Amino acid sequence: MIYLDNAASTRIHDDVLNSMLPYLKEQYGNPSSIHRQGRLTRKAVNKARKQIASIINADPAEVLITSGGTESNNTALNGIASRFPSSHIITTSIEHDAVLEPCKKLNSKGFKVDYLPVDKFGMIKLSDLKDIISEKTSLVSVMFGNNEVGTIQPIQEIGKICHENQIVFHTDAVQAVGKIPVDVKELGVDLLSISSHKLHGPKGIGALYIKDGVKVDPMILGGGQEFRLRSGTENVANIVGFGQACEIVQNHLNKNMSFIKKLQSQLIKKVLDEIPEVTFNGHVESRLDNNAHFTFLGVNGEDLIIKLDEYGIAASTGSACSVNTQKESHVLKSMGFSLEQITGSLRLTVGIFNTENEINETVEILKKIIEELRAVSPFKEKYSFESKN
């Protein structure tokens, strides 16, 4: 199999898996217990928290362990909103559903929620943010790197605007952490969401960075674990794996970035050079290095995914989390794409375990499949589908 859906999930690193096994078999004590087994697991959790904090240049005490990006986003939004009843929240039209759905719920509870528009590259305008801020604005939530088209927002500049207006700033950095340098101090963010399985760690674990001094109301009450912000017995094995994944990624970040950028450039060039009637989507420069998003006119993206899967290639049309809703991409719609353009879109996301040969093989198979699908396309009279070779 050629796996090119790394934005949806990544293969767990062998060293991460090995680090987890002792906490599933031998060291299985509850971290809240005072006996030796409990102390050993508590020590492991504390070490992992330091590793997670290090990858974003935070203090360990600023890292809240969660079940993943969705919980982190929900905690950030609801935890701030509960402190500022009926206030004003600003987000964007291209956020992940893990931000959009909580915002929708908050709106139904009396909060005013505004959604910043984006241009054809998926980028917001800072002037729009400045214009929409009011005295009642309590929270701004803007995604770091978009999960569909890879566009990176001007996070540092947004942070400055928020702090000038005494507004809490949250960013969903699930797609960014582990792919590019992320420094919470330089960025000036108050809250930042991370997910383990996006950076070669286990699923079901993540974190929310909460800047020292920022107050967030707890969403899960009970025994008072996680600084009394998220009660419940810690998932020690997954926490250990998450921490190990962060350390591995951080130690090899520059090398990985260079390698992945090379694969991305190779993929983009070959597709644009060798396949007719294709467009490359998202911001050309301000984008995640692992993401390549295309629109193949005259092709149905879901048919393309199925055909690619038959050849052993894993890809996607967009967010894996939105598959069950069977709705058109709100990201591409916000960018001004027509239904035809949305329908013909494909996301290919590379990772550290991919190779140049896999990229070459994928493009060759992609050319063949697209030619077959366009031969029966109702749009074949509208476009020139002649091969570029």
Side-chain angles (χ1 to χ4, degrees), residues 33-53:
S33 299
I34 62 174
H35 52 62
R36 185 171 182 272
Q37 283 279 39
R39 295 197 306 272
L40 286 174
T41 52
R42 170 56 56 191
K43 183 178 180 181
V45 169
N46 290 339
K47 177 185 175 182
R49 198 186 306 276
K50 291 178 181 178
Q51 292 169 316
I52 298 164

PDB file of all heavy atoms in Angstrom, residues 33-53:
ATOM      1  N   SER A  33      -2.221   6.475  42.598  1.00  0.00           N
ATOM      2  CA  SER A  33      -1.906   5.610  43.738  1.00  0.00           C
ATOM      3  C   SER A  33      -0.553   5.993  44.320  1.00  0.00           C
ATOM      4  O   SER A  33       0.350   6.427  43.599  1.00  0.00           O
ATOM      5  CB  SER A  33      -1.883   4.143  43.295  1.00  0.00           C
ATOM      6  OG  SER A  33      -3.140   3.744  42.787  1.00  0.00           O
ATOM      7  N   ILE A  34      -0.400   5.786  45.653  1.00  0.00           N
ATOM      8  CA  ILE A  34       0.848   6.208  46.297  1.00  0.00           C
ATOM      9  C   ILE A  34       1.862   5.077  46.409  1.00  0.00           C
ATOM     10  O   ILE A  34       2.988   5.300  46.840  1.00  0.00           O
ATOM     11  CB  ILE A  34       0.570   6.800  47.699  1.00  0.00           C
ATOM     12  CG1 ILE A  34      -0.069   5.749  48.608  1.00  0.00           C
ATOM     13  CG2 ILE A  34      -0.301   8.040  47.589  1.00  0.00           C
ATOM     14  CD1 ILE A  34      -0.232   6.226  50.047  1.00  0.00           C
ATOM     15  N   HIS A  35       1.481   3.869  46.021  1.00  0.00           N
ATOM     16  CA  HIS A  35       2.442   2.773  46.063  1.00  0.00           C
ATOM     17  C   HIS A  35       3.422   2.877  44.900  1.00  0.00           C
ATOM     18  O   HIS A  35       3.293   3.750  44.031  1.00  0.00           O
ATOM     19  CB  HIS A  35       1.735   1.413  46.061  1.00  0.00           C
ATOM     20  CG  HIS A  35       0.733   1.230  44.963  1.00  0.00           C
ATOM     21  ND1 HIS A  35       1.047   1.255  43.625  1.00  0.00           N
ATOM     22  CD2 HIS A  35      -0.612   1.031  45.032  1.00  0.00           C
ATOM     23  CE1 HIS A  35      -0.026   1.052  42.901  1.00  0.00           C
ATOM     24  NE2 HIS A  35      -1.061   0.924  43.723  1.00  0.00           N
ATOM     25  N   ARG A  36       4.400   1.983  44.866  1.00  0.00           N
ATOM     26  CA  ARG A  36       5.497   2.063  43.896  1.00  0.00           C
ATOM     27  C   ARG A  36       5.002   2.028  42.451  1.00  0.00           C
ATOM     28  O   ARG A  36       5.463   2.793  41.608  1.00  0.00           O
ATOM     29  CB  ARG A  36       6.492   0.929  44.140  1.00  0.00           C
ATOM     30  CG  ARG A  36       7.735   1.001  43.244  1.00  0.00           C
ATOM     31  CD  ARG A  36       8.785  -0.010  43.675  1.00  0.00           C
ATOM     32  NE  ARG A  36       9.983   0.105  42.855  1.00  0.00           N
ATOM     33  CZ  ARG A  36      10.154  -0.538  41.707  1.00  0.00           C
ATOM     34  NH1 ARG A  36       9.197  -1.335  41.251  1.00  0.00           N
ATOM     35  NH2 ARG A  36      11.263  -0.380  41.005  1.00  0.00           N
ATOM     36  N   GLN A  37       4.051   1.140  42.164  1.00  0.00           N
ATOM     37  CA  GLN A  37       3.525   1.059  40.795  1.00  0.00           C
ATOM     38  C   GLN A  37       2.873   2.370  40.385  1.00  0.00           C
ATOM     39  O   GLN A  37       3.017   2.826  39.255  1.00  0.00           O
ATOM     40  CB  GLN A  37       2.505  -0.092  40.689  1.00  0.00           C
ATOM     41  CG  GLN A  37       3.136  -1.475  40.606  1.00  0.00           C
ATOM     42  CD  GLN A  37       3.612  -1.808  39.193  1.00  0.00           C
ATOM     43  OE1 GLN A  37       4.144  -0.936  38.497  1.00  0.00           O
ATOM     44  NE2 GLN A  37       3.448  -3.049  38.789  1.00  0.00           N
ATOM     45  N   GLY A  38       2.164   2.972  41.304  1.00  0.00           N
ATOM     46  CA  GLY A  38       1.539   4.259  41.015  1.00  0.00           C
ATOM     47  C   GLY A  38       2.557   5.356  40.812  1.00  0.00           C
ATOM     48  O   GLY A  38       2.412   6.200  39.915  1.00  0.00           O
ATOM     49  N   ARG A  39       3.607   5.333  41.644  1.00  0.00           N
ATOM     50  CA  ARG A  39       4.652   6.363  41.515  1.00  0.00           C
ATOM     51  C   ARG A  39       5.395   6.244  40.191  1.00  0.00           C
ATOM     52  O   ARG A  39       5.762   7.253  39.573  1.00  0.00           O
ATOM     53  CB  ARG A  39       5.635   6.272  42.690  1.00  0.00           C
ATOM     54  CG  ARG A  39       5.015   6.589  44.045  1.00  0.00           C
ATOM     55  CD  ARG A  39       6.078   6.890  45.100  1.00  0.00           C
ATOM     56  NE  ARG A  39       7.068   5.839  45.222  1.00  0.00           N
ATOM     57  CZ  ARG A  39       6.954   4.771  46.009  1.00  0.00           C
ATOM     58  NH1 ARG A  39       5.845   4.594  46.730  1.00  0.00           N
ATOM     59  NH2 ARG A  39       7.929   3.878  46.092  1.00  0.00           N
ATOM     60  N   LEU A  40       5.607   5.003  39.733  1.00  0.00           N
ATOM     61  CA  LEU A  40       6.305   4.790  38.460  1.00  0.00           C
ATOM     62  C   LEU A  40       5.491   5.332  37.286  1.00  0.00           C
ATOM     63  O   LEU A  40       6.040   5.952  36.365  1.00  0.00           O
ATOM     64  CB  LEU A  40       6.585   3.298  38.256  1.00  0.00           C
ATOM     65  CG  LEU A  40       7.704   2.686  39.098  1.00  0.00           C
ATOM     66  CD1 LEU A  40       7.763   1.173  38.905  1.00  0.00           C
ATOM     67  CD2 LEU A  40       9.053   3.313  38.731  1.00  0.00           C
ATOM     68  N   THR A  41       4.197   5.080  37.304  1.00  0.00           N
ATOM     69  CA  THR A  41       3.366   5.586  36.201  1.00  0.00           C
ATOM     70  C   THR A  41       3.215   7.107  36.277  1.00  0.00           C
ATOM     71  O   THR A  41       3.158   7.788  35.244  1.00  0.00           O
ATOM     72  CB  THR A  41       1.980   4.915  36.183  1.00  0.00           C
ATOM     73  OG1 THR A  41       1.377   5.029  37.484  1.00  0.00           O
ATOM     74  CG2 THR A  41       2.099   3.450  35.815  1.00  0.00           C
ATOM     75  N   ARG A  42       3.169   7.653  37.498  1.00  0.00           N
ATOM     76  CA  ARG A  42       3.107   9.110  37.636  1.00  0.00           C
ATOM     77  C   ARG A  42       4.368   9.744  37.068  1.00  0.00           C
ATOM     78  O   ARG A  42       4.316  10.776  36.390  1.00  0.00           O
ATOM     79  CB  ARG A  42       2.925   9.479  39.115  1.00  0.00           C
ATOM     80  CG  ARG A  42       3.084  10.966  39.461  1.00  0.00           C
ATOM     81  CD  ARG A  42       2.152  11.855  38.649  1.00  0.00           C
ATOM     82  NE  ARG A  42       0.769  11.449  38.818  1.00  0.00           N
ATOM     83  CZ  ARG A  42      -0.220  11.906  38.061  1.00  0.00           C
ATOM     84  NH1 ARG A  42       0.033  12.769  37.082  1.00  0.00           N
ATOM     85  NH2 ARG A  42      -1.464  11.495  38.256  1.00  0.00           N
ATOM     86  N   LYS A  43       5.514   9.130  37.343  1.00  0.00           N
ATOM     87  CA  LYS A  43       6.782   9.624  36.820  1.00  0.00           C
ATOM     88  C   LYS A  43       6.779   9.596  35.294  1.00  0.00           C
ATOM     89  O   LYS A  43       7.261  10.527  34.644  1.00  0.00           O
ATOM     90  CB  LYS A  43       7.928   8.774  37.363  1.00  0.00           C
ATOM     91  CG  LYS A  43       9.315   9.242  36.949  1.00  0.00           C
ATOM     92  CD  LYS A  43      10.402   8.371  37.575  1.00  0.00           C
ATOM     93  CE  LYS A  43      11.792   8.836  37.154  1.00  0.00           C
ATOM     94  NZ  LYS A  43      12.859   7.972  37.758  1.00  0.00           N
ATOM     95  N   ALA A  44       6.203   8.542  34.707  1.00  0.00           N
ATOM     96  CA  ALA A  44       6.142   8.423  33.248  1.00  0.00           C
ATOM     97  C   ALA A  44       5.246   9.509  32.643  1.00  0.00           C
ATOM     98  O   ALA A  44       5.563  10.083  31.595  1.00  0.00           O
ATOM     99  CB  ALA A  44       5.625   7.038  32.855  1.00  0.00           C
ATOM    100  N   VAL A  45       4.124   9.789  33.305  1.00  0.00           N
ATOM    101  CA  VAL A  45       3.216  10.842  32.835  1.00  0.00           C
ATOM    102  C   VAL A  45       3.905  12.202  32.892  1.00  0.00           C
ATOM    103  O   VAL A  45       3.806  13.010  31.956  1.00  0.00           O
ATOM    104  CB  VAL A  45       1.920  10.855  33.671  1.00  0.00           C
ATOM    105  CG1 VAL A  45       1.100  12.113  33.376  1.00  0.00           C
ATOM    106  CG2 VAL A  45       1.089   9.608  33.397  1.00  0.00           C
ATOM    107  N   ASN A  46       4.622  12.442  33.972  1.00  0.00           N
ATOM    108  CA  ASN A  46       5.322  13.720  34.117  1.00  0.00           C
ATOM    109  C   ASN A  46       6.400  13.897  33.045  1.00  0.00           C
ATOM    110  O   ASN A  46       6.579  14.993  32.503  1.00  0.00           O
ATOM    111  CB  ASN A  46       5.953  13.828  35.500  1.00  0.00           C
ATOM    112  CG  ASN A  46       4.916  13.984  36.605  1.00  0.00           C
ATOM    113  OD1 ASN A  46       3.782  14.382  36.348  1.00  0.00           O
ATOM    114  ND2 ASN A  46       5.292  13.660  37.831  1.00  0.00           N
ATOM    115  N   LYS A  47       7.110  12.807  32.737  1.00  0.00           N
ATOM    116  CA  LYS A  47       8.128  12.869  31.689  1.00  0.00           C
ATOM    117  C   LYS A  47       7.486  13.185  30.341  1.00  0.00           C
ATOM    118  O   LYS A  47       7.978  14.029  29.578  1.00  0.00           O
ATOM    119  CB  LYS A  47       8.882  11.550  31.605  1.00  0.00           C
ATOM    120  CG  LYS A  47       9.919  11.511  30.477  1.00  0.00           C
ATOM    121  CD  LYS A  47      10.569  10.140  30.344  1.00  0.00           C
ATOM    122  CE  LYS A  47      11.510  10.096  29.131  1.00  0.00           C
ATOM    123  NZ  LYS A  47      12.123   8.746  28.960  1.00  0.00           N
ATOM    124  N   ALA A  48       6.391  12.501  30.050  1.00  0.00           N
ATOM    125  CA  ALA A  48       5.704  12.723  28.775  1.00  0.00           C
ATOM    126  C   ALA A  48       5.194  14.154  28.667  1.00  0.00           C
ATOM    127  O   ALA A  48       5.259  14.771  27.597  1.00  0.00           O
ATOM    128  CB  ALA A  48       4.544  11.739  28.627  1.00  0.00           C
ATOM    129  N   ARG A  49       4.694  14.694  29.762  1.00  0.00           N
ATOM    130  CA  ARG A  49       4.185  16.066  29.739  1.00  0.00           C
ATOM    131  C   ARG A  49       5.310  17.042  29.380  1.00  0.00           C
ATOM    132  O   ARG A  49       5.102  18.014  28.651  1.00  0.00           O
ATOM    133  CB  ARG A  49       3.572  16.433  31.091  1.00  0.00           C
ATOM    134  CG  ARG A  49       2.650  17.661  31.032  1.00  0.00           C
ATOM    135  CD  ARG A  49       2.180  18.074  32.409  1.00  0.00           C
ATOM    136  NE  ARG A  49       1.552  16.999  33.141  1.00  0.00           N
ATOM    137  CZ  ARG A  49       0.272  16.658  33.004  1.00  0.00           C
ATOM    138  NH1 ARG A  49      -0.496  17.316  32.158  1.00  0.00           N
ATOM    139  NH2 ARG A  49      -0.235  15.670  33.715  1.00  0.00           N
ATOM    140  N   LYS A  50       6.513  16.776  29.883  1.00  0.00           N
ATOM    141  CA  LYS A  50       7.665  17.609  29.544  1.00  0.00           C
ATOM    142  C   LYS A  50       8.002  17.491  28.063  1.00  0.00           C
ATOM    143  O   LYS A  50       8.347  18.478  27.408  1.00  0.00           O
ATOM    144  CB  LYS A  50       8.873  17.206  30.389  1.00  0.00           C
ATOM    145  CG  LYS A  50       8.760  17.547  31.865  1.00  0.00           C
ATOM    146  CD  LYS A  50       9.987  17.078  32.637  1.00  0.00           C
ATOM    147  CE  LYS A  50       9.859  17.396  34.118  1.00  0.00           C
ATOM    148  NZ  LYS A  50      11.023  16.893  34.893  1.00  0.00           N
ATOM    149  N   GLN A  51       7.923  16.272  27.525  1.00  0.00           N
ATOM    150  CA  GLN A  51       8.219  16.055  26.109  1.00  0.00           C
ATOM    151  C   GLN A  51       7.202  16.775  25.219  1.00  0.00           C
ATOM    152  O   GLN A  51       7.562  17.376  24.202  1.00  0.00           O
ATOM    153  CB  GLN A  51       8.210  14.554  25.798  1.00  0.00           C
ATOM    154  CG  GLN A  51       9.344  13.773  26.440  1.00  0.00           C
ATOM    155  CD  GLN A  51       9.139  12.272  26.334  1.00  0.00           C
ATOM    156  OE1 GLN A  51       8.050  11.754  26.565  1.00  0.00           O
ATOM    157  NE2 GLN A  51      10.200  11.561  25.961  1.00  0.00           N
ATOM    158  N   ILE A  52       5.944  16.715  25.602  1.00  0.00           N
ATOM    159  CA  ILE A  52       4.890  17.390  24.834  1.00  0.00           C
ATOM    160  C   ILE A  52       5.076  18.901  24.901  1.00  0.00           C
ATOM    161  O   ILE A  52       4.955  19.603  23.901  1.00  0.00           O
ATOM    162  CB  ILE A  52       3.498  16.987  25.368  1.00  0.00           C
ATOM    163  CG1 ILE A  52       3.279  15.482  25.192  1.00  0.00           C
ATOM    164  CG2 ILE A  52       2.400  17.774  24.657  1.00  0.00           C
ATOM    165  CD1 ILE A  52       2.123  14.923  26.016  1.00  0.00           C
ATOM    166  N   ALA A  53       5.396  19.390  26.102  1.00  0.00           N
ATOM    167  CA  ALA A  53       5.598  20.827  26.280  1.00  0.00           C
ATOM    168  C   ALA A  53       6.781  21.324  25.460  1.00  0.00           C
ATOM    169  O   ALA A  53       6.742  22.410  24.875  1.00  0.00           O
ATOM    170  CB  ALA A  53       5.820  21.149  27.762  1.00  0.00           C
TER     171      ALA A  53
END
